[in-house]
Amino acid sequence: MRAVRDTPGDATTLSVVVPVFDEEEVLPVLAARLRPVLDGCGEPYEVLAVDDGSTDATPRLLEDLRTAWPQLRVVTLRRNSGHQAALTAGLRRARGAYVVSIDADLQDPPEIIPDMLALARDQGLDIVYGVRTDRSTDSAFKRRTAAAYYRLMRRLAGAYVPAQAGDFRLLSRAVVETLKSLPDQQQIYRLLIPWLGFPSGRIAYQRAERAAGTSKYPLHKMVLLAFDSVTGFSAVPLRLATAIGALSSVVCLAFLIWALTVYATGNPLPGWTSLIITMLFFGAVQLFCLGMLGEYVARIHTAVQARPTYVVARDTGEEERL
């Protein structure tokens, strides 16, 4: 599929989607850096700040920013639905011929957005990934876990998954419309978007420290993201459970042959230790396999319920159209 081409009739060339959750400290810095970049592009644009159920002063600050920044559009979700759900809400409501997604913490530099747009136009690309080539500002633990995550995803989902590419990317209208056509369920975009197969390019940058505030993605959320990525985009865990079950059967057969041999030679088993160890081993294997199966069944259950991943309470862009 070819990249979308701008036409004189396009009202908005560029949409920038920014998921926001309890970011009162970083919002003024974000606006101070993002607005000059977008104003300097010389293109009609909009910024969709998706408030993912913030409980601090974020909603008030967004309203204050809107009074002086007419291109700022606030989409408010009724409850905290998660980063990927907030990103989905922004992508589905963006109007631009190209859509850029970026986090509010400014670890990804908004200054390269014009370069992304230029690369997409010059080379006819539908996707431009921001790739982190330098993560020296991250802790050693985060660098190692991030590298392990991308290695695992490339092994499970395919080599087309770009290493060190998060949710900072540019998408053409063709890609956005394809994403909108998919069922309303929790998506892992850093795996889904490369899987679509649209022409893509990359722009490298150095990952910066968080501009202000604290991370809203602690360790347990990173672990959940990795788990959702594996179970949501690959059947390898089910195949692993099958392989473990087959291996366990071989071990069980070996135990059986050994027990019969000992009995036949007149040396019966002396006690219950080996029996308990065997029972615990196979019990653990069975629970592991059932857990893997249960995780996939739970995902089927959630999909059948067809509950929305987010609910929009307010969209200032729609209010302005009335």
Side-chain angles (χ1 to χ4, degrees):
M1 301 181 71
R2 294 179 300 173
V4 66
R5 301 296 181 185
D6 298 334
T7 62
D10 287 335
T12 303
T13 300
L14 182 64
S15 295
V16 179
V17 176
V18 188
V20 177
F21 176 65
D22 287 351
E23 296 287 8
E24 61 181 358
E25 296 180 60
V26 81
L27 278 178
V29 187
L30 172 67
R33 281 184 59 183
L34 182 59
R35 185 174 184 180
V37 170
L38 298 179
D39 288 343
C41 286
E43 304 281 359
Y45 73 88
E46 64 174 357
V47 176
L48 282 79
V50 184
D51 181 9
D52 188 22
S54 296
T55 57
D56 62 358
T58 293
R60 178 181 59 79
L61 288 174
L62 288 174
E63 289 301 318
D64 292 343
L65 289 172
R66 232 173 44 88
T67 59
W69 193 1
Q71 291 88 354
L72 179 60
R73 178 178 163 194
V74 180
V75 178
T76 305
L77 305 187
R78 292 196 176 276
R79 63 176 181 84
N80 179 248
S81 302
H83 181 270
Q84 296 297 299
L87 186 55
T88 299
L91 291 175
R92 287 179 175 269
R93 290 172 174 265
R95 302 168 184 156
Y98 293 93
V99 181
V100 172
S101 58
I102 185 171
D103 290 340
D105 57 17
L106 292 174
Q107 289 190 280
D108 304 321
E111 289 78 11
I112 68 172
I113 290 178
D115 298 330
M116 288 178 156
L117 183 59
L119 181 64
R121 284 172 162 169
D122 293 344
Q123 299 188 16
L125 303 176
D126 286 289
I127 306 169
V128 178
Y129 299 103
V131 178
R132 307 155 182 167
T133 56
D134 186 344
R135 303 189 64 149
S136 56
T137 57
D138 290 338
S139 66
F141 174 77
K142 190 166 186 178
R143 289 198 301 270
R144 292 192 185 98
T145 53
Y149 170 82
Y150 285 107
R151 282 197 303 269
L152 178 62
M153 291 307 103
R154 288 170 67 86
R155 182 175 293 273
L156 295 182
Y160 53 79
V161 177
Q164 300 299 333
D167 289 315
F168 183 34
R169 65 179 77 85
L170 177 142
L171 306 176
S172 72
R173 173 52 49 183
V175 180
V176 174
E177 292 300 322
T178 300
L179 294 175
K180 289 170 66 175
S181 69
L182 299 176
D184 185 13
Q185 60 188 32
Q186 195 71 271
Q187 304 287 2
I188 306 296
Y189 286 110
R190 64 187 65 189
L191 301 181
L192 174 61
I193 290 175
W195 179 85
L196 295 176
F198 284 87
S200 64
R202 305 179 186 186
I203 289 185
Y205 66 93
Q206 179 178 357
R207 185 169 172 83
E209 294 182 355
R210 181 177 246 278
T214 57
S215 174
K216 306 306 183 296
Y217 233 76
L219 178 61
H220 75 276
K221 285 193 175 181
M222 290 191 289
V223 172
L224 287 176
L225 174 65
F227 189 74
D228 287 342
S229 299
V230 172
T231 57
F233 218 81
S234 172
V236 168
L238 287 178
R239 299 190 182 107
L240 177 62
T242 302
I244 291 176
L247 178 61
S248 301
S249 299
V250 174
V251 174
C252 180
L253 179 61
F255 266 109
L256 177 62
I257 294 173
W258 174 73
L260 291 175
T261 302
V262 171
Y263 181 80
T265 57
N267 297 308
L269 297 177
W272 52 268
T273 303
S274 58
L275 178 62
I276 292 298
I277 293 175
T278 305
M279 290 178 61
L280 290 176
F281 172 74
F282 287 109
V285 169
Q286 290 172 352
L287 289 176
F288 174 81
C289 296
L290 284 174
M292 284 291 101
L293 182 59
E295 179 63 28
Y296 283 88
V297 171
R299 291 179 176 276
I300 295 173
H301 174 68
T302 300
V304 169
Q305 286 181 318
R307 290 181 298 183
T309 55
Y310 63 89
V311 179
V312 174
R314 183 189 181 205
D315 183 347
T316 58
E318 291 183 351
E319 293 174 358
E320 292 168 358
R321 285 188 167 189
L322 297 178

